[in-house]
Amino acid sequence: MVFTPVILAGGKGERFWPLSRLERPKQFLCLDGSDRSLLQATADRLLPLANGWENLWVITASHLADGVRQQLPELPEANLLIEPEGRDTAPAVAWTTLEISQRHGPDAVVGFFPADHWIDPPEAFHHTLHAAIEVAQQQGAIVTLGVKPTYPSSGYGYIEQGEPQGTIKDLAAFQVARFTEKPDRPTAEDFLASGRFSWNSGIFIFQAGVALAELKQYAPDLMQQLQQEGVKAYPNLTKISIDYALMEKTQRAAVLPVSFGWDDLGDWNALDRLQPENTSPESGNVELGRHIGQDSRNSIFYNSNPDELIVTIGLEDVVVVRDGNATLIVKKDRTQDIKSVLKTLKEDSNLQQFL
């Protein structure tokens, strides 16, 4: 059996601006205190499952391809797929699965993994993936990993468990009853209390032939264009996620609720969770880089230049980031608004240098 993990490495990670830029998106950053970027850490986790670099694939955007090559120099060039323009995850998954099926056949098991997630410990992750591979093979299922929620997040999508599908390697599998987009806080609290819902991790495992047959049924236009033209079809493809194109429609979706440490690192607030060793017990501040604070509490301070100093007085519940030619100061509960600021930068030719 061939298992081919694929890293989805085309994201922007805009809510980590100004550290994240056009040519240096979130997946190229080191955010967990290690010397490995999120992309490199993802590859490290997947290599044992792939049995080496020959079976590991990456799909990315054209302007990020050189960065991927620099970060993963061992990756075979034939395993690097380059999208000429972003069309969301459905075209990425469909095109890559077509290519893998042509190389390894329709029985090959394929897994898709975002490049910018934090997962720990790797042993629990590997155990879960072996179980997911068995479910995909034995049941012809399109398996997604559902992370058991630890708090009522309104920032994640949710998966509701349906009928039980058996236990594999001590992990229970369920049919997917439904996918739900990011709920409001009261709904998230209800989901958590019910015990039937998991966070949608965005990780999928399936046999190539099974997924391609389902995509032909539920996304026929997408598949027809890719089969006829390959990557040349991209300019004419509809922008659509794999959730909308396939997962919310197929009857083959299964979920494995898992409990290993997981975080999709959505914005700067993730450092509160990832950096306990850099968090001051007195002030509650996360400090990465040189910072002097007076009466500043429960904040995140990031300074990428060791020759520069951030000084704060009387601040609370804020994020301050100093990197290169830009400085960000934002209240912790407004970090989602960073994307709207970047839209302003894109629309002003005099400010595009800061992207």
Side-chain angles (χ1 to χ4, degrees), residues 1 5 14 19 50 52 67 83 86 103 122 140-141 157 168 171 199 214 248 252 267 276 278 300 307 310 340 345 354:
M1 186 277 296
E14 292 180 324
L19 191 61
E83 296 181 293
R103 191 182 302 185
I168 297 90
L171 293 173
W199 288 332
E214 293 293 284
E248 294 183 5
R252 291 184 174 272
D267 60 36
N278 291 310
I300 296 170
D307 295 326
I310 294 174
S340 64
L345 299 185
F354 299 105

Side-chain angles (χ1 to χ4, degrees), residues 1-14:
M1 186 277 296
V2 175
F3 178 62
T4 305
V6 181
I7 301 176
L8 296 163
K12 301 175 183 176
E14 292 180 324

Side-chain angles (χ1 to χ4, degrees), residues 31-33 38 118 263 265 269-277:
L31 295 173
D32 63 356
L38 296 174
W118 174 86
D263 201 305
L265 307 179
N269 286 301
L271 295 193
D272 273 335
R273 304 184 292 272
L274 290 189
Q275 296 283 351
E277 70 277 8

Side-chain angles (χ1 to χ4, degrees), residues 27-94:
Q27 58 266 30
F28 290 174
L29 305 179
C30 303
L31 295 173
D32 63 356
S34 73
D35 61 352
R36 303 290 282 172
S37 73
L38 296 174
L39 172 62
Q40 290 169 328
T42 302
D44 293 344
R45 278 196 302 274
L46 294 173
L47 279 170
L49 297 162
N51 292 319
W53 287 100
E54 288 303 315
N55 278 333
L56 181 67
W57 291 47
V58 175
I59 182 166
T60 191
S62 56
H63 70 286
L64 302 178
D66 285 343
V68 171
R69 293 185 182 104
Q70 291 170 10
Q71 293 221 340
L72 303 178
E74 304 92 340
L75 182 74
E77 186 65 25
N79 293 5
L80 177 62
L81 298 187
I82 301 170
E83 296 181 293
E85 48 193 288
R87 284 293 181 262
D88 214 326
T89 51
V93 169

Side-chain angles (χ1 to χ4, degrees), residues 126-324:
H126 293 158
H127 178 79
T128 301
L129 262 294
H130 285 301
I133 290 167
E134 283 196 28
V135 174
Q137 286 183 303
Q138 295 174 6
Q139 302 181 15
I142 298 176
V143 184
T144 184
L145 303 188
V147 178
K148 293 180 180 177
T150 54
Y151 63 97
S153 171
S154 57
Y156 295 146
Y158 284 74
I159 304 169
E160 184 178 8
Q161 296 163 197
E163 292 297 317
Q165 298 295 293
T167 300
I168 297 90
K169 296 187 181 297
D170 301 322
L171 293 173
F174 299 86
Q175 281 187 338
V176 171
R178 61 169 167 148
F179 289 85
T180 301
E181 288 299 304
K182 300 173 183 178
D184 57 26
R185 177 78 183 206
T187 303
E189 291 173 350
D190 291 340
F191 286 175
L192 186 64
S194 76
R196 299 193 312 274
F197 288 81
S198 304
W199 288 332
N200 187 352
S201 70
I203 295 173
F204 307 98
I205 301 94
F206 47 68
Q207 287 183 302
V210 170
L212 292 175
E214 293 293 284
L215 281 164
K216 287 177 185 176
Q217 179 177 351
Y218 296 109
D221 291 343
L222 169 66
M223 291 301 296
Q224 183 178 11
Q225 291 178 86
L226 285 172
Q227 287 180 308
Q228 290 178 349
E229 303 179 57
V231 67
K232 294 180 181 178
Y234 258 75
N236 299 316
L237 296 180
T238 300
K239 193 172 186 179
I240 186 171
S241 73
I242 192 65
D243 281 347
Y244 283 124
L246 177 62
M247 297 305 294
E248 294 183 5
K249 299 173 181 176
T250 180
Q251 301 301 304
R252 291 184 174 272
V255 59
L256 280 179
V258 298
S259 55
F260 50 68
W262 173 88
D263 201 305
D264 79 340
L265 307 179
D267 60 36
W268 283 106
N269 286 301
L271 295 193
D272 273 335
R273 304 184 292 272
L274 290 189
Q275 296 283 351
E277 70 277 8
N278 291 310
T279 302
S280 166
E282 292 81 21
S283 66
N285 293 329
V286 178
E287 299 183 347
L288 295 167
R290 301 180 75 180
H291 166 252
I292 294 176
Q294 181 175 314
D295 298 328
S296 296
R297 304 183 56 80
N298 301 322
S299 296
I300 296 170
F301 302 106
Y302 189 104
N303 186 357
S304 62
N305 190 334
D307 295 326
E308 294 183 355
L309 174 68
I310 294 174
V311 178
T312 62
I313 301 173
L315 296 185
E316 188 169 355
D317 297 322
V318 299
V319 177
V320 179
V321 182
R322 173 70 183 145
D323 179 75

